Every structure is written in structure tokens, then in C-alpha cells.
DNA sequence: AAAACTGGTTAATTTAATTTACCATGGCTA
DNA sequence: TAGCCATGGTAAATTAAATTAACCAGTTTT
């Protein structure tokens, strides 16, 4: 039995603090705990985890040390910033002004969101679908109220929720970085507002179609609907720009006739 | 954050004894610890597992309680019998005498071993392949020495090793029950001896072919070779039975001419 | 401004595990 | 056949890990 006697491995029951760290890290990676999310109080959290407060604090201290948590006395701990930026602030400024950058950006988004929509159609949970339904309702509310800022925010939340429903942590993270550009208004909001103006109803229909394909677990349909939507957004922006150019020419002609 | 605050799960670091039980049970299910295998002494095992002897004993006592371990003072603990019998002793006796039962048995074995050979071709480890090579050599040795008992045992070991290399615990267990019938001589050894007589060289070649397909990771080839082998065994047994029947008729004719 | 919430610290206590010593049984060898 | 050596069996003392409880300091809310 000497031969078989060497097949056992040392038992390694992790410490309480290690187990806590492991669970919180897993929740960060899977997107359940996003950057900025505040944790419950230490007392509440130790109760939920069924561990003592000193041991919980040991774990939280380690997470703070690893730059995953921000801890301040008197305030609840919160998840640290997780998203780096693919662009420096200076490049973001230039990128936002560069005319064709917007279309490159839309092209990239189109492919990523088609991918995400396909995955979401396969993997979305009941909770994911309810979130999508709520955001769609909020978009419609803010569109009717002509609250463009709220409508724009809801639009980003909608696309972000689809990516979340893909349950692919790498895609979630990389797209969060992309959506941050949109949230910050790297591209002039005027471009988006022109797109929305007059075609909001149609865009809403497309959003509903994407969601319906996800609800129906139609992966190909969801990917195609997402691709179609982003194509439509791009062509609307192009049409708006061309309309602007024609109006500028018309104003110039009118001015020349007066003199 | 009240909503998100309910997403943490209680930490459950298992006790030392629970971890030991878990590891040993996993080794039983995966076939590493077979029935009859003796464990290292408690002192050696506690050293390998890096746990205290009292805690190890606590785990072993629970395994004994679950009928997975046999513990006797002064002797090393051993894995308890794990294989139940699909047949009662009375039915085994009848089954062994029933003429067509042998062919039903071979038919069942043929399909199971083709399945196992295919899996083994995909999954066999280096250790699995070495074991097969060793058993093939032992079979050849005992065939040349005309040690039929040893040859028969090696044959069962060969087929059992293929099943083990499939790494499918359910298949391993169910086939262990089947091979036990063979080991016990449920079917008259005379049938098998007649098969071996005169065709041993050919059967050996088939064994080598099966093994070679497994070494080559040829799943389809391995399954086909296994199926062909069991077909050949069956047809050899049938031929032997027909030869016996003709000899009995010839003896009767000879006796009638004398009177 | 006081109360209530939060994080921050530490000593006392409890629990789980380890260490150590010894007993009982069985097999092997001189 | 007795002694030795292996094994499993038992239990008390010690150590390590975790919990409990109490209190302090900062921030937010009423």
C-alpha cells in the first residue's frame, strides 16, 4: 500500500477571513458588486455572512489593501473604481472632436452589442428580463416628457443591462469602459439629440424588438436586431449631418440674394 | 442598498473532519480507492492529510458508520465492499447454467466495452496506458506458460483497466459488478478455456489492437476494435459448442455400428 | 445639538483543533 | 513462548482560531 499511500492531499480548510474575501471577489468579478456600490454596514454584513465582526474587518482590510474596496470611518465601505480608461483625458477630448471617430465607435459598439444580445438571449435570467422591462418603461416615460437627459441615461442603462445579461464578465467589464465614454459625453450630446429628434418612436420600437428576442431566447434574432438598431442610429446621425450641411448652404444662398 | 444588501451568503468553512470525509469519498467515487484497498495507518494518513489524529479518527468513524470503511483494531482500515450484486446467488447459479445467458452477457459486454474503449481513447492518462501495457505483457507471459487461470485473470484485468481509463465513475462501478460475475466463474470456465484454446494468439492480437487505438486516441477505432473482439469471442464459443455437438453425434453413431 | 448611524480597537471568552501520553489487540520473530 | 513492533482506541492538556462584548471616534440625520 506504499504506492497508494501517497495519493492523499493535505487538507486546507481556509480561514474565515479568506472565505469572506473569496465570496466578495467572486461577486465583483461577476458584476453583482459594481464599482461605487456600497456594502451593507459591517454589523449587518457580519450577520449575513454569519461571521464575527473582527474577522469580517480582517477581510475588508485585505480588500482595501488590494484596491478593491474604499473604506472611510463613519461611512459605509464601497467598491473601488474598477474600470480603467482605454484613453487618456487628452485623447478623449481629441477623439470626441474627430468626426469619423463617432462612426468607428458605433461600428465597434454594433459588433459588441450584437455579440452581447446573442449571449443574453441564451442566458438572461428572469431578473435580467425584469430589469430590461423596467428600463424600457423608463425610456418611454422620459421620451414622452421630452426629458432628453433622462432618456439618454436610460438608453445607456438599457444597453448596459443587455451586456450584463450576457453574463460574460470580460465583455461586461470592457463595455462598461465604453459606456463610461458615452456617459461622460465624450461625443457631443447634440449628435445624439439630433438622432433622437423625430425618430424616438422608431428607436423605441427597435429597443422593444431587441428585448423581445432576448425574452424569446432568440439568439440570432437578438443579435440581428441589435445590429440593425446600431445601423439605424448611425444612418440617422449621417442624415442629420447632411441636413445640417444643406441648411448651411441654403442660408448662404439666401444671404447672397439679399446683397 | 437594502436591496443589494441581501445578496451575501453565510460563510461555511467546513470542519477538519468534514474535509477529510469529503476527500476520501471523492477518491472512492472516482475509483482511486477501490473496495478492499487498505488505507495507510492512522499515523501516516494524518501526516499526509496534515490533520491531527483525533480529527482523522472522527472522519474515519463517520465513514465506517456510512459502511464505506471497515475498521479493526490492530489492522489497517480498508475500503468496504462497494459492489452490490445485480443477481441473487440462486439466480447466479441458474443464470450460469442457462445456455443463451452467456450470449446475452457477451452482447451486453460488447456494447459497454465499446463505449468504454471510445471514452478511454479520449481520456486515458499516461498511467492508464502504462497499466494496459503491463497487463498485455502479463497476458502474453501466462499464455506462453499455458497458465490459463492467470491468463483469464489478466484478461479481466485488461478489460477492467480499459473501463477504468474511461474515467466514468458510473460505468466503472457497473462494469465492476459485471466483471465480478466473470471472476467468480458464474459461467463455466470450460467455455472460456475452449475459446482460448487454439485462438489465443488471435485474441492477443485483438487486445493489442484495442490498446493501440486507445494509445492513438482513436475513439472510433477503439470502440470498433472492442466490438470486433467481443464478436470474435462469441463466435469462437459458438464454434466450440457446435464442434462439441458434432463429436457427441459421432460417438453415438460409432456406438450404434458396434451393436 | 443630540441621536443614531458608521467604522476602529481590544480584551475576555468560547470553540475547534492539535499535541502528547498511554492502553489494548494482533502479528511476527528470536 | 515471551518480547517486540505494528496497528487501532482513548483522553487530558495545550494551542490556535474565532466569537463576543464593550467602548472609542467620525459622520450623517433628525
Amino acid at each position: 500500500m506504499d504506492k497508494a499511500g501517497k495519493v492523499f492531499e493535505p487538507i486546507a480548510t481556509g480561514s474565515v477571513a479568506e472565505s469572506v474575501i473569496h465570496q466578495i471577489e467572486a461577486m465583483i468579478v461577476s458584476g453583482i458588486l459594481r464599482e461605487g456600490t456600497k456594502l451593507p454596514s459591517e454589523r449587518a454584513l457580519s450577520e449575513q455572512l454569519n461571521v464575527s465582526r473582527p474577522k469580517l474587518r480582517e477581510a475588508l482590510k485585505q480588500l482595501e489593501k488590494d484596491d478593491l474596496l474604499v473604506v472611510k470611518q463613519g461611512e459605509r465601505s464601497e467598491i473601488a473604481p474598477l474600470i480603467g480608461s482605454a484613453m487618456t483625458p487628452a485623447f478623449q477630448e481629441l477623439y470626441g472632436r474627430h468626426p469619423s471617430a463617432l462612426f468607428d465607435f458605433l461600428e465597434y459598439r454594433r459588433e459588441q452589442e450584437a455579440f452581447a444580445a446573442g449571449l443574453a438571449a441564451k442566458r438572461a435570467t428572469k431578473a435580467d428580463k425584469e430589469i430590461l422591462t423596467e428600463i424600457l418603461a423608463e425610456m418611454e416615460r422620459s421620451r414622452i416628457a421630452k426629458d432628453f437627459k433622462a432618456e439618454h441615461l436610460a438608453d445607456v442603462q438599457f444597453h448596459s443591462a443587455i451586456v450584463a445579461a450576457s453574463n460574460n464578465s470580460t465583455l461586461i467589464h470592457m463595455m462598461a469602459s465604453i459606456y463610461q465614454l458615452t456617459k461622460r459625453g465624450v461625443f457631443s450630446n447634440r449628435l445624439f439629440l439630433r438622432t433622437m429628434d423625430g425618430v424616438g418612436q422608431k428607436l423605441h420600437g427597435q429597443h422593444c424588438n431587441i428585448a423581445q428576442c432576448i425574452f424569446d431566447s432568440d439568439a440570432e434574432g437578438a443579435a440581428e436586431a441589435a445590429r440593425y438598431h446600431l445601423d439605424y442610429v448611425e444612418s440617422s446621425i449621417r442624415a442629420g449631418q447632411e441636413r445640417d450641411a444643406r441648411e448651411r448652404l441654403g442660408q448662404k444662398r439666401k444671404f447672397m440674394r439679399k446683397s
Side-chain angles (χ1 to χ4, degrees), chain A residues 82-102:
Chain A
L82 303 171
I83 301 170
S85 177
M87 302 175 182
T88 61
F91 185 65
Q92 283 183 41
E93 189 66 27
L94 172 65
Y95 186 80
R97 290 198 308 271
H98 197 57
S100 66
L102 175 59

Side-chain angles (χ1 to χ4, degrees), chain A residues 111-230:
Chain A
E111 287 313 306
Q112 297 308 311
E113 293 196 14
F115 175 41
L119 286 183
K122 293 174 184 173
R123 298 175 179 173
T125 65
K126 187 166 179 289
D128 291 326
K129 292 171 181 176
E130 285 168 359
I131 290 170
L132 286 172
T133 304
E134 285 169 22
I135 298 174
L136 280 171
E138 168 59 20
M139 266 200 283
E140 188 64 356
R141 270 198 296 276
S142 46
R143 188 179 70 84
I144 289 174
K146 290 189 191 302
D147 185 346
F148 299 118
K149 190 170 176 177
E151 190 180 1
H152 178 55
L153 179 61
D155 179 78
V156 176
Q157 283 178 337
F158 175 76
H159 290 285
S160 191
I162 291 177
V163 171
S166 78
N167 283 284
N168 180 305
S169 61
T170 306
L171 184 60
I172 289 169
H173 197 81
M174 297 309 290
M175 292 308 286
S177 191
I178 291 293
Y179 293 134
Q180 227 182 15
L181 296 179
T182 307
K183 275 175 184 168
R184 276 199 213 110
V186 165
F187 298 102
S188 166
N189 278 349
R190 194 175 55 80
L191 289 174
F192 286 100
L193 286 179
R194 181 164 297 279
T195 301
M196 302 298 189
D197 195 33
V199 293
Q201 182 67 43
K202 190 160 266 181
L203 289 174
H204 184 65
Q206 291 166 5
H207 285 145
C208 291
N209 190 30
I210 297 170
Q212 192 59 51
C213 289
I214 290 175
F215 298 161
D216 296 339
S217 303
D218 181 358
E220 286 182 24
E224 200 51 40
R227 206 171 267 118
Y228 179 84
H229 169 64
L230 272 299

